Every structure is written in structure tokens, then in C-alpha cells.
């Protein structure tokens, strides 16, 4: 008697199909990894913009809240750090010895050349003669918050600080 073996084919993937599938998956993973640095840069940029807003808001709000009683002599106060910095709103002046850390805490520097050691460099400019206002009652305060490289990455915030 003759032995007859019946061969049954199993449903499986061939080696060619597996290689094609792995190629497609690796192509997709490489595309996703290529977008990752862009997402990180966008996240870092958003963090810097948010921190710049926080720093300038701390300064402008502190000065504006004191203007009614202390105009033109005000003090920047950051209660969380016990930081204070005097601003005279009646003189055209630029204060360039302020910096901030990654948490937005203000730091008084000895000189402006110390700025590169801090993540944020803060400049406050005072214009005591704003157009359309009496100089005895208002000044324009401009806060510029910059981060590395300082020449190209910055945001400026302007506010008219009034005695009334």
C-alpha cells in the first residue's frame, strides 16, 4: 500500500510579506521621529513666550498698583521672592540690570554684562513724556524680556502708567 500524505497549507505570512510590512513600519517611525525636534522647539518657544509675559506682567502690575500713591517713584515688588527694584517714572531712563531665572523670579544684576549667565534678560525703559499725556501724571513703561540669543529672541510690553 502506498503512503499518501496529504499536505495541508497553513495560512501564514511569507517572508516577502513580513519584510514589506517591516519596511512600511520603519518608514512611518522615521517620519514620526523626524517631526519630534519640531515639536520640542515649538514647546520651548511657547515656554519662553509664556515666561516673558509672566515677567513683564509682574513688573508692570507692580508699578501700576503703586502709581496712584507713589507716582513718579515706584518700586517693582515680587512678593514670592522678596525682590524689590526702584523705578523713577519722571526721568527718561533705561534699567538694564535685571534678569530672571527659569521660574520667572527677578534677579538684580551688578552690571548688564552679567546677563548671559541667566535665562532671561529684562530691560525696563521709561518715557516720562508720552504723547497725549501730561508728564506730571503719566509715563510710558516698556518692558523687554529677552532670551538666548538676546538680539533676536525677545518680547516687548508697553503700558502707560498713570497717576489716576
Amino acid at each position: 500500500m502506498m503512503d499518501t500524505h496529504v499536505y495541508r497549507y497553513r495560512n501564514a505570512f511569507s517572508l516577502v510579506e513580513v519584510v514589506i510590512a517591516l519596511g512600511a513600519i520603519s518608514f512611518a517611525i522615521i517620519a514620526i521621529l523626524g517631526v519630534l525636534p519640531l515639536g520640542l522647539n515649538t514647546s520651548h518657544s511657547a515656554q519662553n513666550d509664556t515666561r516673558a509675559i509672566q515677567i513683564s506682567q509682574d513688573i508692570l502690575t507692580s508699578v501700576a498698583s503703586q502709581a496712584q500713591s507713589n507716582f513718579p517713584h515706584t518700586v517693582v515688588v515680587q512678593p514670592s521672592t522678596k525682590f524689590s527694584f526702584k523705578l523713577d517714572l519722571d526721568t527718561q531712563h533705561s534699567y538694564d540690570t535685571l534678569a530672571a531665572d527659569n521660574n520667572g523670579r527677578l534677579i538684580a544684576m551688578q552690571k548688564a554684562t552679567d546677563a548671559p549667565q541667566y535665562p532671561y534678560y529684562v530691560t525696563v525703559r521709561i518715557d516720562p513724556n508720552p504723547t497725549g499725556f501730561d508728564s506730571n501724571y503719566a509715563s510710558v513703561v516698556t518692558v523687554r524680556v529677552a532670551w538666548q540669543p538676546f538680539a533676536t529672541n525677545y518680547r516687548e510690553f508697553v503700558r502707560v502708567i498713570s497717576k489716576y
Side-chain angles (χ1 to χ4, degrees):
M1 191 161 169
M2 194 171 165
D3 234 0
T4 58
H5 294 288
V6 178
Y7 292 102
R8 294 188 183 176
Y9 292 100
R10 294 185 180 170
N11 292 335
F13 293 108
S14 69
L15 185 58
V16 173
E17 291 172 324
V18 170
V19 169
I20 291 173
L22 287 174
I25 290 171
S26 64
F27 182 75
I29 288 174
I30 289 173
I32 290 169
L33 291 177
V35 176
L36 194 61
L38 178 64
L40 291 173
N41 286 341
T42 302
S43 172
H44 190 66
S45 176
Q47 176 187 351
N48 287 330
D49 284 342
T50 302
R51 190 69 64 218
I53 292 168
Q54 175 199 352
I55 293 166
S56 65
Q57 186 176 15
D58 282 352
I59 293 170
L60 293 172
T61 302
S62 179
V63 172
S65 69
Q66 299 170 43
Q68 213 169 16
S69 59
N70 298 335
F71 191 89
H73 308 290
T74 61
V75 177
V76 173
V77 177
Q78 201 175 34
S80 62
T81 61
K82 298 182 172 96
F83 174 86
S84 64
F85 185 79
K86 293 181 182 179
L87 291 177
D88 288 322
L89 301 177
D90 61 345
T91 59
Q92 187 150 359
H93 193 72
S94 180
Y95 299 92
D96 61 354
T97 55
L98 290 174
D101 64 11
N102 276 324
N103 294 321
R105 291 185 294 244
L106 292 169
I107 300 161
M109 299 183 295
Q110 296 299 319
K111 52 191 178 292
T113 54
D114 293 340
Q117 65 183 338
Y118 299 103
Y120 299 98
Y121 176 47
V122 182
T123 306
V124 181
R125 287 191 317 267
I126 309 294
D127 178 6
N129 299 310
T131 305
F133 291 91
D134 186 346
S135 62
N136 294 324
Y137 300 106
S139 295
V140 173
V141 178
T142 304
V143 177
R144 179 181 178 144
V145 180
W147 54 92
Q148 296 285 352
F150 294 136
T152 58
N153 294 325
Y154 64 89
R155 297 288 180 266
E156 284 191 343
F157 304 90
V158 180
R159 185 167 178 183
V160 175
I161 304 294
S162 170
K163 182 176 181 177
Y164 299 106

